[in-house]
Amino acid sequence: MQTMADIGRAARRRAEIRMRPRRTQAAPVLTLLWGGALAVLGLWWYNTGLITATSGWIIGAGRITGLLAGYATAVVVLLMARVPILERRIGSDRVARWHAMAGRYAICLMVAHTLLIVWGYARQSGTDLVGQFLTVVQDFPDMVEALIGTVLLVVIGLVSANAARRKLRYEVWYYLHLLTYAAVFLAFWHQLSTGAEFAALPAAKTAWYALYGGVTALIVWYRFITPVRLNLRHRLRVEATIEEAPGVTSVIMSGRRLEALDAEAGQFFRWRFLAPKLRWTSNPYSLSATPRGDRLRITVKAAGDHSAALVALRPGTRVWAEGPYGAMTAARRQRGRGNKVLLIAGGAGITPMRALFETIPAAPGGLTLLYRARAAEDLVLWEELQVIAERRQARLFSAVNEPDGTRPQITAEGLARVMPDIDKHDVYLCGPPGLAGEFQALLRKAGVPARRIHHESFEL
């Protein structure tokens, strides 16, 4: 029988094998995306002759914004596809932020495109704006569908804004968001039937089909086929639930050939539990223990209806999982300047940190975990952390508020006193946005290079 120490040693050996100089691939991907936008502008430039009239300039601006809106929409959908190379190399939180930003660009460009085209044609023909708008919708091919698709995308954008999203149940927001696929399909066809660039250049039309076809293939493969294959193969079920503290539950799941998932400490899955009140919602929760060949564990604090209901899960409940996702793994380590690691966790951020604390390779005495919590009773999994610290000769610190709520003073100087060579540490940081921002500033002040600070947000 494998002991906990055996599992930890085996996981560390796997992590050492996986470790390689692998930085996040944000810059190349961003370069590629912005390069595509420049190519779209080049397409307009190539197909546009001399413009003299004011109406021609307005229509030209409408064509530019329309082409860029079409391209941005494809990028928005691509960033929804959960492509592993993006999710694991860049990080799900950053990809989610890119998706939100691209969505804002796409909606603004769509609105600008509509207004400019109608205004330009109205000025050119000498008609009023409302009459010209009705003419465009009624007489131009595929415009009724395009209007419906545009309205849907604007509505989805509005409900995805932070102020609106906070007032919606997650399930409502999630299923409204899925209408993006229908909206994009409806809006796609008018680009080819009315776009002057595509009518004049068959190669451009072929490239546009390839862009949207490729994105569609990624969505179908990674959002539908891959999860079905994963769950048919591994057949995850709830094995047990453990109440770690008031309002905090660990869910242990078993399945077949789980080593083939290739999950790493620091990663998460999106979990759907096929039980009443839970089957219609899929939420992201990090692994809170070393992934094993026959067992996975998550630890969740009750923060809503879904997380609060996990404590009532019965053994044998089927689990639908998607993943693993996340880039905050041992492979993010920088090489060549020591072999020391500092883990900083706050709140629910302890779950991936606990798994990394057990497995991430580090020099003897070179592994430290700092756990920030409001009170001692909020130090979830503390006993497990103590056992790991003793076994790995690691240092374990907690920082909790005083009984009157006073926050402990953590300074850059204090961190440097505890770890004089803190600039040689790789720092993994996970917790609420406020804590993450605070510690990032402290670490930079203490001399830790930005490239050695690895952060993943829970605000997806």
Side-chain angles (χ1 to χ4, degrees):
M1 177 183 292
Q2 278 189 312
T3 65
M4 189 175 176
D6 294 332
I7 295 167
R9 282 192 293 270
R12 286 195 294 277
R13 284 195 295 272
R14 289 194 296 271
E16 288 168 354
I17 292 170
R18 285 171 173 159
M19 280 184 62
R20 51 195 178 276
R22 188 181 81 181
R23 299 182 183 181
T24 58
Q25 303 298 309
V29 174
L30 286 175
T31 300
L32 183 63
L33 294 178
W34 284 111
L38 289 175
V40 169
L41 289 175
L43 173 63
W44 172 84
W45 182 267
Y46 180 82
N47 194 54
T48 302
L50 181 65
I51 300 175
T52 55
T54 302
S55 60
W57 284 105
I58 297 172
I59 293 171
R63 287 168 52 201
I64 291 174
T65 52
L67 286 168
L68 289 175
Y71 174 73
T73 300
V75 171
V76 168
V77 178
L78 169 65
L79 296 174
M80 292 174 65
R82 298 178 187 167
V83 181
I85 194 170
L86 297 179
E87 297 277 338
R88 300 186 188 186
R89 293 294 184 94
I90 294 174
S92 297
D93 59 337
R94 183 177 290 185
V95 171
R97 289 194 294 271
W98 289 0
H99 167 73
M101 183 179 296
R104 289 191 287 270
Y105 284 147
I107 290 171
C108 290
L109 288 165
M110 287 176 199
V111 173
H113 165 65
T114 303
L115 295 176
L116 288 167
I117 287 293
V118 172
W119 181 23
Y121 284 153
R123 189 181 180 95
Q124 190 177 67
S125 61
T127 59
D128 63 279
L129 292 176
V130 174
Q132 186 61 53
F133 175 77
L134 293 175
T135 298
V136 169
V137 172
Q138 293 171 357
D139 296 347
F140 284 38
D142 301 313
M143 282 305 304
V144 173
E145 295 86 350
L147 177 61
I148 296 171
T150 301
V151 170
L152 280 175
L153 288 171
V154 170
V155 170
I156 293 165
L158 291 175
V159 301
S160 297
N162 288 336
R165 184 174 173 181
R166 282 193 292 266
K167 297 178 182 179
L168 288 175
R169 290 173 60 88
Y170 175 82
E171 296 86 346
V172 174
W173 171 85
Y174 177 80
Y175 287 109
L176 281 174
H177 215 65
L178 291 181
L179 289 174
T180 301
Y181 300 131
V184 171
F185 178 80
L186 289 170
F188 171 74
W189 302 103
H190 92 286
Q191 301 176 61
L192 300 178
S193 59
T194 62
E197 289 74 17
F198 303 115
L201 295 171
K205 180 181 288 189
T206 301
W208 213 248
Y209 271 121
L211 171 64
Y212 273 81
V215 170
T216 301
L218 291 173
I219 285 286
V220 171
W221 184 260
Y222 289 114
R223 292 298 299 266
F224 297 99
I225 295 176
T226 296
V228 170
R229 292 174 65 229
L230 182 154
N231 288 281
L232 289 178
R233 180 181 186 186
H234 299 292
R235 299 185 179 277
L236 286 162
R237 293 182 180 272
V238 173
E239 183 175 302
T241 59
I242 301 172
E243 189 173 5
E244 305 285 359
V248 179
T249 302
S250 286
V251 181
I252 300 171
M253 288 156 285
S254 58
R256 303 186 304 181
R257 302 190 298 276
L258 299 185
E259 69 281 352
L261 289 170
D262 201 28
E264 300 180 54
Q267 292 188 309
F268 69 93
F269 288 75
R270 287 180 169 87
W271 306 95
R272 186 188 304 273
F273 297 94
L274 304 186
K277 299 181 181 181
L278 294 172
R279 66 178 68 250
W280 299 111
T281 304
S282 174
N283 278 14
Y285 299 124
S286 295
L287 298 172
S288 64
T290 306
R292 291 172 48 179
D294 62 345
R295 189 171 298 169
L296 300 174
R297 188 185 79 173
I298 59 174
T299 301
V300 181
K301 184 175 182 179
D305 293 343
H306 187 277
S307 52
L310 297 185
V311 69
L313 283 172
R314 296 180 178 179
T317 300
R318 290 291 302 272
V319 182
W320 185 272
E322 298 178 40
Y325 302 119
M328 196 169 59
T329 65
R332 290 283 293 273
R333 298 267 306 275
Q334 296 289 310
R335 304 299 295 272
R337 292 187 63 200
N339 190 27
K340 298 185 177 182
V341 179
L342 168 62
L343 307 174
I344 301 175
I350 190 58
T351 52
M353 294 294 102
R354 187 267 179 220
L356 283 168
F357 194 47
E358 184 177 9
T359 61
I360 193 166
L367 177 60
T368 305
L369 172 61
L370 172 60
Y371 190 173
R372 175 76 178 89
R374 292 181 180 177
E377 55 267 25
D378 293 327
L379 295 172
V380 180
L381 306 176
W382 185 253
E383 292 183 1
E384 291 186 14
L385 294 171
Q386 289 178 310
V387 171
I388 295 170
E390 183 178 355
R391 188 175 69 245
R392 297 202 64 188
Q393 299 178 352
R395 296 189 295 177
L396 177 63
F397 298 100
S398 64
V400 299
N401 295 353
E402 298 293 336
D404 62 358
T406 303
R407 291 167 55 88
Q409 293 298 314
I410 302 175
T411 64
E413 294 75 16
L415 289 173
R417 279 196 301 272
V418 175
M419 288 167 284
D421 56 351
I422 191 171
D423 61 312
K424 296 182 174 61
H425 283 64
D426 273 275
V427 183
Y428 287 74
L429 176 59
C430 194
L435 177 140
E438 173 189 347
F439 271 100
Q440 283 180 325
L442 289 175
L443 291 165
R444 296 292 289 118
K445 188 176 179 181
V448 181
R451 67 181 182 278
R452 285 184 170 268
I453 302 173
H454 314 298
H455 169 240
E456 195 158 41
S457 170
F458 277 85
E459 300 297 311
L460 300 181

